[in-house]
Amino acid sequence: MMNSPATLRYLSLGSTFRKPSSFARYEVFNVKLPSNCKFSSNQNCFKLFTANSFFRTEVSGPVRCNRIRASSNDSQSVASGSIQREESFVEFITSERVKVVAMLALSLALCNADRVVMSVAIVPLSLSHGWRQSFAGVVQSSFLWGYLISPIAGGTLVDYYGGKLVMAWGVALWSMATLLTPWAAEASLWALLAMRMLLGIAEGVALPCMNNMIARWFPPTERSRAVGLAMAGFQLGSAIGLTFSPILMSQGGLFGPFVIFGLSGFLWVLVWVSATSSTPEHSRQISIHELRYIQNKGQIHTVVEGKSKTSKGIPPFRCLLSKLPTWSIIVANAMHSWGFFVILSWMPIYFKTIYHVDLRQAAWFSAVPWSMMALTGYFAGVLSDTMIQRGISVTLTRKVMQSIGFFGPGFALIGLTTAPSPSIASAWLTLAVGLKAFSHCGFLVNLQEIAPQYSGVLHGISNTAGTFAAIIGTVGAGFFVELVGSFKGFLVVTAFLYFSAAVFWNVFSTGKRVKFDDSI
């Protein structure tokens, strides 16, 4: 029995030492330790050490470690509060990890709202400046020029520094770019393009940060729904931006929404920095029970002989790109981004030119599908986690989710081209975008499964490919309409690309961990 003035926040979890001699089992949060292991403590840390290994863990707060009991057999050893139980629904929705994913969802909502404001503002800007549709596509794609630069570097920074710090800087920079857009538009075209590029550079770190934080905070059986919740915020950001931008423009002028959304981002940063942490082990708000729950469900980062399995060196880019599962993610991300940005950037103009509705109605018809995507995204996450919990392989689950997420939108876009009225067109578009959310439980979660130690940089690589595809799709749509005279024809081309990417995914993807270096 041991009393200590220090708080036992966590020990070096997941470590089992087998000695030639018999060993006793000390169960503190399900840790197995040899019988010759000794404890040392002071007001700052707990230490565990044996003859050839040493571990240190930070502690804080007023809770005391009351009892540790050891036995040389397999009988259960009891530590204060060490008995694990399942969480109730109330505990789940009030948990620290749900707070983290809620903050991530809010940041992604701001991310997309800031990005889509230009999709609404481009119509009056084009009229006032006399821009053609092809040049309007260039202005919209300037965001993607910046977005092309940052994902790989941002993903690498996320793997090294963690999601909290990188996300804070990202939101601060893109909020500043959004806030300065009105000034840039009045100054010159080049200043406007520069601000849109800065917005893209800063927002390029958002999804790698989200993936990194979810991988650290959520066990594998909850990751799909966590991604669904975070991406629900992303899609609601589109709905918020497309719906409220015309209202804010009518009340506060053409650049009213840029100011409102930009200031909201700075407020988010203040809350994020003060209320969250990169990992559950470093959180001051998390309960002991939730910390044990996350770790016992598979979130333990094992440290052996003082060496971490988390890579801090240069990522093995050549090896990453030599594996077909990597390319299945790259192709899926590229197609996802193509369809996403074509719909996001051109649907207000599509409804205005094809169905002759005014700007407010066009924004409404474009916003409804993104709200549906937020709902179906969470449903897809719950369904995906349930399939895995019931014994369906991760590989099959990811293939089913991705197939729904690509074949579904492809057929729906073909249906959209036949719609005789804006209401029916909105229904087809809602179906296309809603089914598209299932792909979040395909390639987006798969990043954490095939390469958890490189999920940030792998996300960056696939995002870069996706940005190339988005630039081609966004700019190409404008030129296609000018040359062929048919927006509907471009939607048919997009549907064909969806089908091709789905086939590639089903042939080459996997839900198993892929060996990219000797550290696995």
Side-chain angles (χ1 to χ4, degrees):
M1 177 168 149
M2 176 184 66
N3 290 305
S4 169
T7 300
L8 183 55
R9 179 67 67 177
Y10 66 96
L11 301 178
S12 181
L13 301 179
S15 302
T16 301
F17 298 86
R18 298 189 179 277
K19 301 291 184 180
S21 59
S22 62
F23 62 92
R25 185 172 69 176
Y26 290 82
E27 286 200 354
V28 182
F29 308 140
N30 294 332
V31 181
K32 293 182 179 180
L33 298 170
S35 58
N36 63 342
C37 180
K38 299 180 179 180
F39 295 82
S40 173
S41 67
N42 55 42
Q43 63 179 5
N44 295 319
C45 69
F46 250 89
K47 296 179 181 178
L48 307 178
F49 56 92
T50 61
N52 60 356
S53 61
F54 175 83
F55 298 87
R56 180 178 185 274
T57 180
E58 295 295 332
V59 294
S60 62
V63 181
R64 294 174 179 266
C65 176
N66 295 323
R67 299 187 62 179
I68 297 180
R69 187 172 68 195
S71 64
S72 57
N73 52 39
D74 289 334
S75 63
Q76 182 179 13
S77 300
V78 180
S80 177
S82 66
I83 299 176
Q84 184 183 352
R85 58 182 174 83
E86 292 297 322
E87 288 187 323
S88 67
F89 177 73
V90 173
E91 287 176 322
F92 173 74
I93 63 175
T94 58
S95 65
E96 191 68 17
R97 66 187 184 281
V98 169
K99 183 182 79 174
V100 169
V101 80
M103 288 295 295
L104 288 170
L106 184 57
S107 70
L108 294 181
L110 290 170
C111 172
N112 230 17
D114 290 350
R115 142 184 341 182
V116 304
V117 170
M118 187 58 71
S119 298
V120 178
I122 195 66
V123 177
L125 281 175
S126 297
L127 292 175
S128 62
H129 291 83
W131 295 339
R132 297 180 301 170
Q133 281 191 338
S134 57
F135 188 76
V138 172
V139 174
Q140 297 228 69
S141 69
S142 60
F143 162 84
L144 297 171
W145 305 346
Y147 199 72
L148 184 67
I149 298 173
S150 60
I152 296 178
T156 303
L157 290 173
V158 168
D159 287 338
Y160 191 89
Y161 292 107
K164 177 183 177 179
L165 179 64
V166 179
M167 182 65 100
W169 278 104
V171 176
L173 287 175
W174 86 55
S175 298
M176 181 180 70
T178 302
L179 193 62
L180 293 178
T181 296
W183 166 84
E186 294 295 330
S188 69
L189 176 62
W190 290 108
L192 175 62
L193 296 178
M195 284 299 103
R196 294 295 293 173
M197 284 187 65
L198 178 60
L199 179 70
I201 291 172
E203 290 194 358
V205 305
L207 292 181
C209 286
M210 179 273 291
N211 226 316
N212 176 276
M213 293 291 286
I214 287 178
R216 291 169 181 252
W217 275 89
F218 286 83
T221 54
E222 294 181 353
R223 285 178 187 169
S224 291
R225 72 190 68 190
V227 169
L229 284 170
M231 295 305 293
F234 194 68
Q235 313 314 332
L236 286 176
S238 299
I240 291 169
L242 291 169
T243 302
F244 287 98
S245 290
I247 299 173
L248 294 173
M249 287 178 186
S250 65
Q251 299 296 321
L254 181 61
F255 300 111
F258 292 95
V259 176
I260 296 298
F261 293 143
L263 292 176
S264 298
F266 288 113
L267 178 62
W268 181 93
V269 171
L270 293 177
V271 178
W272 174 258
V273 171
S274 61
T276 63
S277 59
S278 288
T279 64
E281 289 83 0
H282 292 92
S283 174
R284 294 184 178 181
Q285 290 82 26
I286 194 170
S287 67
I288 295 295
H289 168 66
E290 184 182 1
L291 179 62
R292 290 203 314 274
Y293 177 84
I294 295 173
Q295 292 167 331
N296 289 334
K297 289 290 185 178
Q299 286 299 101
I300 301 170
H301 294 283
T302 305
V303 181
V304 179
E305 299 291 339
K307 296 181 180 180
S308 173
K309 287 191 175 184
T310 302
S311 175
K312 297 294 185 182
I314 299 175
F317 291 104
R318 182 175 180 180
C319 190
L320 285 170
L321 294 174
S322 69
K323 307 291 186 179
L324 285 173
T326 298
W327 283 101
S328 69
I329 291 177
I330 291 174
V331 170
N333 200 331
M335 189 59 240
H336 181 80
S337 296
W338 174 292
F340 180 86
F341 281 100
V342 164
I343 294 173
L344 188 67
S345 300
W346 287 101
M347 281 303 100
I349 298 176
Y350 179 80
F351 278 95
K352 180 178 176 59
T353 57
I354 300 298
Y355 299 106
H356 309 291
V357 296
D358 63 32
L359 179 61
R360 188 185 301 269
Q361 289 175 314
W364 169 254
F365 281 120
S366 298
V368 169
W370 304 109
S371 300
M372 178 60 67
M373 191 176 189
L375 294 175
T376 56
Y378 179 70
F379 170 78
V382 173
L383 177 61
S384 177
D385 287 340
T386 301
M387 291 173 65
I388 294 173
Q389 291 168 2
R390 292 185 177 180
I392 299 175
S393 70
V394 175
T395 298
L396 179 58
T397 300
R398 301 299 169 229
K399 290 184 177 183
V400 169
M401 295 295 109
Q402 194 65 53
S403 295
I404 297 173
F406 275 3
F407 282 117
F411 285 116
L413 288 180
I414 293 175
L416 175 60
T417 63
T418 66
S421 69
S423 298
I424 296 176
S426 181
W428 278 113
L429 185 62
T430 299
L431 181 63
V433 176
L435 293 177
K436 185 179 175 66
F438 279 78
S439 65
H440 297 156
C441 299
F443 80 92
L444 198 55
V445 182
N446 192 234
L447 290 160
Q448 304 164 9
E449 294 163 344
I450 71 167
Q453 77 278 38
Y454 298 121
S455 62
V457 67
L458 186 57
H459 201 153
I461 293 172
S462 64
N463 260 12
T464 298
T467 305
F468 270 118
I471 292 174
I472 295 172
T474 304
V475 178
F479 282 102
F480 187 94
V481 172
E482 283 192 355
L483 294 175
V484 180
S486 172
F487 207 124
K488 294 180 179 180
F490 192 78
L491 294 180
V492 173
V493 171
T494 300
F496 174 77
L497 293 176
Y498 266 126
F499 299 150
S500 302
V503 172
F504 190 91
W505 172 268
N506 281 297
V507 173
F508 297 114
S509 67
T510 181
K512 298 179 180 178
R513 193 167 182 178
V514 178
K515 186 173 182 180
F516 289 109
D517 54 38
D518 294 333
S519 68
I520 300 177

